[in-house]
Amino acid sequence: MKMPTGKRSVLLAVLIVALGAAVYLNYFFADTNTQQSGGAGITTGSTGQNLGDSVFVNGTTGSTKPTTPQNDYFSTARKNRESAREEAVTLIQDVFNSVKTSESEREAANKQVAAIAAAIEQESKIENLVIAKGFSDCIAYINGDECQVVVKGEDLQTQEMVQIMEIVTGASGILAEKIKILAVN
């Protein structure tokens, strides 16, 4: 059964929107879980040791997990973002490589891959520039004409938020009203 090209384009658009929603929800719930748990892990009592910590022969402990919740949050967020992008590119490549794909659908797939590559480059540039301004860690999410920036720190001062907005608008061209900035303790 041959699917008309209009339906295939709609299906591709729906899959991309669903993927974007999944990335956003993953980001939202990962942030919520970090704040609720306090990132302290499960402790074994008053000793302050975490379950899963290794105990060496001389009695010292070594954690098998990162000790700071912020580092864990940022590394997990980066891994999640990377895997979501890989899935999106795989879906687009499948559409591109399909024998039944028309030339216009192949052009649309190429444009989507180019947009993903541009977003990756812009996010990397934003993250590096924000860290260069003195923040200890940062992760940026670009989705179309919107950007969310999560920085490591307490409450952000107005001056710091303005610096981050200037970096985002300069690196990506995204309008200031489409930028959201969050601080994670």
Side-chain angles (χ1 to χ4, degrees), residues 36-106:
Q36 288 176 351
S37 68
I42 301 171
T43 59
T44 59
S46 62
T47 63
Q49 296 177 344
N50 292 328
L51 291 177
D53 285 352
S54 59
V55 178
F56 299 112
V57 174
N58 65 357
T60 62
T61 61
S63 178
T64 59
K65 299 178 183 178
T67 56
T68 59
Q70 294 87 1
N71 290 340
D72 186 38
Y73 168 77
F74 286 98
S75 64
T76 302
R78 283 187 181 93
K79 287 178 187 175
N80 290 342
R81 180 179 66 184
E82 185 178 315
S83 66
R85 289 251 168 81
E86 287 174 2
E87 289 177 26
V89 169
T90 301
L91 286 172
I92 293 169
Q93 285 176 343
D94 289 345
V95 169
F96 185 80
N97 294 331
S98 174
V99 177
K100 298 177 183 177
T101 303
S102 70
E103 192 61 35
S104 63
E105 291 172 330
R106 288 176 196 232

Side-chain angles (χ1 to χ4, degrees), residues 4 14 21 23 26 36 52-54 71 73 77 80 98 114 125 130-131 134 145 150-151 157 160-161 169 171 180 184:
V14 168
V23 169
N26 188 20
Q36 288 176 351
D53 285 352
S54 59
N71 290 340
Y73 168 77
N80 290 342
S98 174
K125 188 184 296 184
V130 169
I131 291 170
D145 65 343
V150 181
V151 294
Q157 302 297 320
E160 295 171 324
M161 294 181 79
T169 56
K180 295 179 183 167
V184 175

Side-chain angles (χ1 to χ4, degrees), residues 81 85 89 113-127 142:
R81 180 179 66 184
R85 289 251 168 81
V89 169
V113 169
I116 290 172
I120 291 170
E121 181 181 348
Q122 291 169 352
E123 289 169 349
S124 177
K125 188 184 296 184
I126 290 167
E127 292 168 2
I142 294 178

